[in-house]
């Protein structure tokens, strides 16, 4: 099945997220059907800003189980919810408004079809750890052996 908005679920791993997580989550939820938040043991008050956002599924680990385990948990939950595709993101990923659409276009246009499509990133806050994800125009894609986890 080809990726499209209705069958893509974002998986976002959190661990003591910085303020502004709600804005980043809402930006990606405008591009995919749903999101799974996998939290690795953050205090509840750090996640309160996400209360009331429709389209969120939660996995709350009581301890930090690591990024790989959290991503696998999130993908399993997305599959249980009927999604065929996962968009993996970090808690500090700020998605461009066309990120998912661009990644889908790159996948659809690639021949042969890749196993993974990833985004580029821009560090717009040189003294902070926030990464802005966006792949650009589909024609600008470049084949790589590895991609960053987020996007």
């Amino acid at each position: 099945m080809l990726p499209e908005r209705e069958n893509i679920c974002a998986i976002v791993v959190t661990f003591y997220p910085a303020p502004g997580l709600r804005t980043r989550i809402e930006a990606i939820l405008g591009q995919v059907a749903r999101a799974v938040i996998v939290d690795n043991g953050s205090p509840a008050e750090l996640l309160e800003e996400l209360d009331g956002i429709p389209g969120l599924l939660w996995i709350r680990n009581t301890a930090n189980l690591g990024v790989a385990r959290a991503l696998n948990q999130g993908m399993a939950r997305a599959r249980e919810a009927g999604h065929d595709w996962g968009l993996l993101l970090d808690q500090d990923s700020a998605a461009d408004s066309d990120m998912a659409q661009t990644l889908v276009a790159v996948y659809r246009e690639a021949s042969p079809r890749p196993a993974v499509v990833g985004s580029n990133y821009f560090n717009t806050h040189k003294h902070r750890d926030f990464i802005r994800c966006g792949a650009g125009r589909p024609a600008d894609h470049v084949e790589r052996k590895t991609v960053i986890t987020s996007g």
Side-chain angles (χ1 to χ4, degrees):
M1 176 172 287
L2 289 173
E4 52 189 80
R5 185 186 190 287
E6 294 76 25
N7 63 11
I8 300 172
C9 182
I11 292 86
V12 182
V13 178
T14 59
F15 180 69
Y16 286 78
L21 181 60
R22 182 181 188 101
T23 300
R24 294 186 296 277
I25 297 299
E26 288 175 334
I28 199 60
L29 273 171
Q31 302 179 51
V32 299
R34 158 176 297 162
V36 176
I37 306 297
V38 184
D39 183 71
N40 268 335
S42 303
E45 59 269 14
L46 292 180
L47 301 170
E48 287 175 352
E49 70 176 298
L50 301 181
D51 288 346
I53 298 176
L56 287 185
L57 300 174
W58 285 89
I59 298 173
R60 289 189 171 133
N61 295 322
T62 57
N64 187 347
L65 303 180
V67 172
R69 175 91 183 260
L71 291 171
N72 285 326
Q73 288 177 308
M75 285 300 300
R77 184 71 184 271
R79 293 288 296 163
E80 288 170 8
H83 300 284
D84 296 310
W85 294 89
L87 175 58
L88 309 179
L89 299 167
D90 298 326
Q91 65 190 12
D92 56 355
S93 299
D96 283 347
S97 62
D98 64 346
M99 179 185 179
Q101 176 184 358
T102 301
L103 293 172
V104 168
V106 169
Y107 178 81
R108 288 176 177 240
E109 293 176 15
S111 180
R113 291 254 163 85
V116 175
V117 175
S119 68
N120 195 358
Y121 70 93
F122 305 94
N123 187 343
T124 59
H125 305 277
K126 291 186 180 187
H127 301 290
R128 298 185 195 164
D129 293 327
F130 293 99
I131 293 175
R132 183 175 145 250
C133 296
R137 296 185 316 268
D140 292 341
H141 75 276
V142 177
E143 187 173 328
R144 295 285 185 238
K145 290 184 181 189
T146 61
V147 296
I148 62 173
T149 302
S150 185

